[in-house]
Amino acid sequence: MPHLLFARPPGRGPTGARARGRRRATGGLGRAAALTAASLLTVGLLPGPASAEPSPTAAPTTAPAPTSAPPAAVGPVDYAIAVDESGSLKPTEVDRERAAAAGIALGEVHPKSTVTVLGFASADNESQHPVDEVCPPTVLDGAGRDRIGRCISDLRSRRPDEGQGTDFPNAVLQGVSRLAAGADPATPRVLFLLTDGRLDVGDSPAYGDPAHRAAAGEEALTRALAAAQAARIQVWPLGFGSDIDRAALDRMAAAGFQGGCVDLPDAQPRATVVPDATAVADAMRTAFAAAHCLRATAGGTGHPPIDIEVRISPLTTVGSIVVDKGDPLVTATYVDPDGREITGTTTDPVSKFELSPRDQTVESLRITDPKPGQWRVHLDAPADHRAQLATVNVLWRGALRGSITMAPPSPRAGERAVVTLRLQTRQGVEVTDPQDLKDLRVSAVLSGEGFAPVPVKLADDGSAPDGRAGDGAFSGTVTVPAAATGRIKVSGTLAASGLTADEDRSQGTLVAPAVPLVTAALTLDDGAGRRLHPGDELAGSLALHNADGAPHTLRPALRDTAPGLLAVTPEEITLAPGESRRVDVAVTAARPGAFHGLLDGGDLRLGGKVTVVDTTDRDRVLVDSPLSLTITRPPTFWETWWWALLLGGLVAVLAVLAALALRLRARLGKDPAGLRLLLLDPEGRQVADIAADSGTKRWYAFDVHGLGGPDPRLVRQPGGPYRVQRSLDGGVVLERRGQARARIQPDRPVPLAGGLAVGIRDERRGRTRPAGRPTPPDAGAQTVVDDYI
C-alpha cells in the first residue's frame, strides 16, 4: 500500500542492509557559509561621521535589500546524484551516466562539499530494493574524491531478477533523507536526477493494487517532492532518450525548493532533456554549474594523442579542469599558460593544486587562485586505447571588485550626475573580456539624507553616458533630488551566477552648496597611453582654490586599487585662506617585486580612482577621478641599453675593419711583386735581371750565381743570402742575411759580392732604380734602415 512507502524511517528504506552489503557513511558534512553569487557591492560613497544624526524626517539612507539576500561568504554544497539503473539502459548509456556523475563530483571546487551517489530502478518483489546507495555521503577532499571516483563505477543496469522499473519517489526520498541529515541547515542542498524514461512502478507490490499503482506512484512522488521542498532541497531532473515525460520532469523541478544561490533565472531549478546519452555529460555539467552557482567553460574534444586548450578567466578564484578521458588508460598532462607542467607535487607561491586519482575514466585538477589564460591539456594513450572521445572542461567560481565614481563628485541638489561602476578582478585588474562580462546584472542606488532611495540604471552598451561598449565600465545618470540636504551615497549592485563581490567599498560626500568654498581639478599626464614600468611615475597636477576665510586641509588618495601596487603623492595639502595654486601630484607604480609574477603573462591593466577630500569640510569629495594604468614588465638589459650595445658593437666592427684594412695595406704595401732586380757589373752595366714575386711572407729571396765568371746571374732561392721587400713609404729594402737592412736609393745600387751590385726597377710604377755606378760599401752603410724589420 502507498502509505507503507512513507512509513519507513529516513535511512531505513529499500537501501538498507540489502543494498549489496553497503554500509551507510556517517562522516560529518563540511561546515561553511553558504554559497553566494549575488552581492550588494557598496562601492560608492562613504557615510559621514557616526556622530552626525539624520533629520527626523529623512528617508532611509540605505538601498532596499535584494529580494534574495545572499549569504555572506562562499561555502560548500551538499548534493546527491540519483542515476537511473532501469533495464531499458544500454551498457554505453550507463557508461555515459557514470561519466556525467563522476564529472560533476570530481569537478566540485569546494573541498568540504558533500556528495551522495544513488542508483535506482524498482523493487518488483520483497527481495529486491529500488535504490542502490553506491556512494554514501562523502566529503570531497582529496581522499573523498578518490573514493567517489571508484564507487561510481558500481552504477549498472539492473538484471530482470533485480527490478527494472523506474521508481522516482524512492529515488527522491533517498536523496532527501541523505541531504536532510546534513549537520548545517544553511548549507545549500541539491538533488540531481538522471533518467532515460518515465515513472514506472507497475510491477512494484509496495504501491498496492496493480490497477492503481500508477496513480499511487504519482501521489508518492508528490509527497516526496514536498519533502524535498520542506527540507530546502532543489531538484534538477535530467532526461535523455526518446521515452521521456518532459512534463513530469518539469513538475519535479518546480515542486522542490525554489530558492537558488542567486536571484537569476538561470539559477532556478529546471528540467533538461537531451536526445541521447552522448549529451548527458554536457547537460549535467550545465545544470550542476547553474545549481551550484558556478561557471562552466568548454574546452574541446578529440581522440588521443591530442592537445586541448581551455581558458581560465582572470576572475577565477577556484576551479577544476575536468577531463573525461573515455578510457582509464588515457593519460592527461596539464600545462599552465607559462608552459609549466602541473603535477600533484607542483608548488607555487600563489596557486594551489590538487589532482584527483589518475587511473579512472574521469579525472580533474582542482586549482585555487589559478594562473589566468590558456591552459593546455595533453592527452595520450597506448595505440589500442585511442578510440574513445575525450573532453576537457572547466568548472569555476570567481570574484569581482568594483570601483564606482560619480561626476561631479559633490553634486548640488537638483543637479544631474553620471555614475560609473568599473569592474575589476580581485587583483585590481580591469575586466574587459566579453567572456567575463556576459550574464552580469549591474545597477546602482542613490540614497541620502532628505530623500527616498533613487534607482540608477547602469549599462555598458556605448550609449551616452557610457563611453565604450564592452569595456567593463557600466554608466548611467541620476538627478540628485531637490530635497537632498547633506550626505549622499551611491551603491552598486552586482548579480552574476558564479561570481561574488569580494568586499564592499564606499566613500562619502555631501551635497555641494550653490557656491563651493574650495574647488579642485585634477589633470594627469596621458603620455605613452599611461603605460608605466614598475617604479615609474605618472605625473599630474591639482588646480586648487580656497575662497574660504579659513585654511583647509586636503587629502589625495587612491581607492579601489590592489593594495601595494600604486601610491599617490603628496598625502596632504594645506590651502591658506584665499589661496589659489597648482600642486604637482604623482601616481607611482610599486617596485617590480610587489607584482609577484602578475606581469609574467604580459601587460597588467590596473584600475581604480584618485580622490581628493576636504577633511576640513566633513570629508567633502572634491575629486573623484577614474584611473586606468597599464603596467608593463620591467625592461630587460637589452631593451634599456640596446642603443649603447649596438653603437659599441658598430665601433668594434669598424675598429676591426680598420685594423684589417691597415694590415692588408701593410701586406700589400710590402709585397715585392712588380720589382725587377738588376745585376750590375763594376761599370754599372746590366748583366742580368730577374722579376720578383710575392715570395715568402712578402720577402723575395735570391742569390747570385757565377760570381767571378763570365756569366753571373740572379737566381730565385728561398732562404738565399739576399732578399728584398717594399717599404711602406714606397721605397725598397734589401737585406743581407746576418747584416743590417739597407734601402736602395734612387741612382744608388747596393754593392754585392765580387764587385757586382744590385739595382731595382719598379715595373708597377714604371720607375727604375738605379742607373750609374754602384755605391761604395762605406757609402752604402749610410742606407742602413731598421724601420722596416
Side-chain angles (χ1 to χ4, degrees):
M1 293 180 290
H3 71 276
L4 295 179
L5 180 65
F6 303 101
R8 293 187 292 264
R12 293 288 305 277
T15 58
R18 293 180 298 182
R20 286 181 285 170
R22 294 185 180 86
R23 291 159 46 182
R24 177 183 173 189
T26 57
L29 301 179
R31 292 178 178 269
L35 177 66
T36 177
S39 298
L40 180 65
L41 186 63
T42 307
V43 292
L45 308 170
L46 279 174
S51 59
E53 296 181 0
S55 166
T57 60
T61 61
T62 58
T67 57
S68 178
V74 171
V77 172
D78 291 347
Y79 57 97
I81 309 170
V83 178
D84 197 335
E85 294 184 318
S86 60
S88 60
L89 287 163
K90 300 174 183 177
T92 55
E93 293 174 328
V94 176
D95 288 342
R96 299 319 303 165
E97 286 186 314
R98 289 194 196 104
I104 64 171
L106 297 179
E108 168 57 43
V109 297
H110 200 290
K112 291 187 177 180
S113 288
T114 301
V115 65
T116 303
V117 181
L118 311 171
F120 71 93
S122 66
D124 297 343
N125 58 53
E126 293 183 356
S127 65
Q128 297 173 359
H129 47 273
V131 180
D132 293 326
E133 188 168 292
V134 297
C135 300
T138 304
V139 178
L140 289 174
D141 53 16
R145 297 209 300 168
D146 186 7
R147 290 194 298 272
I148 285 292
R150 298 183 187 282
C151 64
I152 282 176
S153 64
D154 287 340
L155 290 169
R156 61 194 177 82
S157 178
R158 295 280 189 93
R159 298 191 307 270
D161 61 343
E162 295 179 307
Q164 293 188 315
T166 308
D167 190 339
F168 290 151
N170 264 315
V172 172
L173 276 181
Q174 186 70 17
V176 169
S177 174
R178 291 295 178 258
L179 294 173
D184 189 348
T187 300
R189 301 162 177 177
V190 182
L191 170 63
F192 298 99
L193 187 143
L194 281 71
T195 180
D196 74 329
R198 57 186 65 217
L199 177 64
D200 178 12
V201 292
D203 294 329
S204 300
Y207 288 90
D209 185 351
H212 302 95
R213 286 175 182 170
E218 293 289 350
E219 293 175 6
L221 180 58
T222 299
R223 290 192 290 271
L225 293 170
Q229 185 180 60
R232 302 176 64 86
I233 296 171
Q234 296 182 24
V235 180
W236 290 72
L238 190 156
F240 60 94
S242 58
D243 190 27
I244 293 296
D245 185 348
R246 176 60 186 259
L249 299 186
D250 288 338
R251 182 165 69 92
M252 288 190 213
F257 181 63
Q258 295 302 296
C261 56
V262 62
D263 188 19
L264 291 174
D266 286 347
Q268 302 306 308
R270 63 184 182 275
T272 303
V273 175
V274 294
D276 54 57
T278 60
V280 166
D282 286 341
M284 188 70 176
R285 182 172 51 254
T286 301
F288 177 70
H292 203 344
C293 273
L294 298 176
R295 290 199 161 195
T297 301
T301 62
H303 294 278
I306 190 174
D307 284 339
I308 298 178
E309 289 193 344
V310 64
R311 176 181 180 269
I312 290 187
S313 166
L315 304 181
T316 307
T317 55
V318 62
S320 289
I321 300 177
V322 183
V323 183
D324 182 353
K325 302 182 294 185
D327 188 315
L329 291 184
V330 173
T331 59
T333 303
Y334 305 86
V335 182
D336 75 5
D338 293 334
R340 181 179 57 157
E341 181 177 332
I342 305 300
T343 66
T345 59
T346 304
T347 58
D348 188 291
V350 177
S351 303
K352 300 294 183 291
F353 308 98
E354 182 184 308
L355 268 171
S356 69
R358 315 192 71 176
D359 58 348
Q360 301 173 25
T361 302
V362 179
E363 68 173 67
S364 68
L365 174 66
R366 181 189 286 165
I367 316 171
T368 303
D369 293 327
K371 176 96 176 168
Q374 290 296 119
W375 283 66
R376 178 169 55 88
V377 180
H378 175 72
L379 301 175
D380 205 349
D384 55 345
H385 288 268
R386 298 177 177 178
Q388 297 297 322
L389 191 67
T391 63
V392 177
N393 298 279
V394 175
L395 290 168
W396 60 279
R397 183 183 295 144
L400 275 174
R401 299 171 58 159
S403 176
I404 199 166
T405 58
M406 187 163 59
S410 290
R412 296 187 297 272
E415 185 176 8
R416 172 177 277 191
V418 175
V419 176
T420 301
L421 174 63
R422 290 174 172 80
L423 301 182
Q424 305 170 351
T425 69
R426 64 188 187 279
Q427 293 92 0
V429 180
E430 293 184 331
V431 179
T432 59
D433 195 307
Q435 298 180 76
D436 300 323
L437 294 172
K438 67 179 182 180
D439 303 325
L440 296 180
R441 192 169 67 185
V442 179
S443 62
V445 172
L446 177 71
S447 58
E449 297 176 356
F451 64 94
V454 180
V456 185
K457 183 180 179 181
L458 302 180
D460 185 18
D461 56 6
S463 300
D466 186 56
R468 182 162 56 91
D471 63 352
F474 294 76
S475 300
T477 59
V478 63
T479 299
V480 179
T485 59
R487 295 181 186 82
I488 57 175
K489 179 173 66 175
V490 63
S491 303
T493 302
L494 165 70
S497 182
L499 296 175
T500 61
D502 66 345
E503 59 180 287
D504 292 341
R505 285 179 175 77
S506 59
Q507 96 178 21
T509 189
L510 301 168
V511 175
V515 179
L517 295 176
V518 178
T519 58
L522 173 68
T523 303
L524 291 175
D525 292 347
D526 201 21
R530 295 190 178 179
R531 298 174 67 87
L532 303 179
H533 296 307
D536 287 353
E537 286 187 353
L538 175 66
S541 64
L542 271 171
L544 304 172
H545 175 67
N546 181 12
D548 196 3
H552 282 248
T553 299
L554 313 182
R555 289 187 183 276
L558 284 173
R559 295 185 181 273
D560 305 334
T561 59
L565 298 186
L566 298 174
V568 63
T569 53
E571 296 180 353
E572 186 174 283
I573 302 167
T574 300
L575 281 179
E579 181 181 14
S580 294
R581 64 186 171 110
R582 187 172 292 272
V583 176
D584 291 334
V585 297
V587 176
T588 305
R591 305 301 299 177
F595 289 89
H596 300 297
L598 292 175
L599 297 173
D600 292 347
D603 294 348
L604 184 67
R605 185 174 173 179
L606 293 179
K609 60 182 179 178
V610 180
T611 64
V612 179
V613 298
D614 185 350
T615 62
T616 308
D617 190 9
R618 296 188 294 173
D619 288 342
R620 183 187 302 279
V621 179
L622 305 179
V623 172
D624 190 25
S625 178
L627 176 68
S628 181
L629 295 175
T630 299
I631 308 298
T632 63
R633 61 177 177 79
T636 62
F637 180 81
W638 165 252
E639 290 170 336
T640 303
W641 297 103
W642 67 269
W643 59 272
L645 296 174
L646 190 61
L647 181 61
L650 182 60
V651 169
V653 169
L654 292 176
V656 170
L657 291 176
L660 291 174
L662 291 173
R663 183 175 180 182
L664 180 61
R665 178 176 178 273
R667 289 175 62 84
L668 295 176
K670 294 182 179 182
D671 192 343
L675 297 177
R676 181 166 291 276
L677 306 182
L678 308 177
L679 185 63
L680 307 176
D681 63 13
E683 300 299 324
R685 295 187 296 270
Q686 179 177 332
V687 297
D689 68 329
I690 190 171
D693 55 26
S694 296
T696 303
K697 296 183 179 180
R698 307 301 172 185
W699 286 96
Y700 179 76
F702 66 97
D703 197 2
V704 180
H705 288 186
L707 284 172
D711 188 20
R713 61 187 184 281
L714 296 172
V715 179
R716 184 180 189 281
Q717 182 177 329
Y722 308 101
R723 60 180 186 173
V724 292
Q725 183 184 63
R726 295 180 190 273
S727 61
L728 293 180
D729 62 358
V732 179
V733 177
L734 173 68
E735 180 182 83
R736 301 178 180 88
R737 294 290 183 183
Q739 300 184 34
R741 297 173 183 176
R743 294 190 62 175
I744 302 179
Q745 301 288 347
D747 304 324
R748 290 194 178 187
V750 176
L752 302 177
L756 300 177
V758 63
I760 298 294
R761 178 190 300 151
D762 190 347
E763 295 181 339
R764 197 163 64 188
R765 294 190 175 94
R767 293 179 296 171
T768 300
R769 296 182 182 183
R773 302 176 70 85
T775 302
D778 56 345
Q782 297 176 4
T783 67
V784 172
V785 289
D786 295 325
D787 299 340
Y788 301 94
I789 298 176

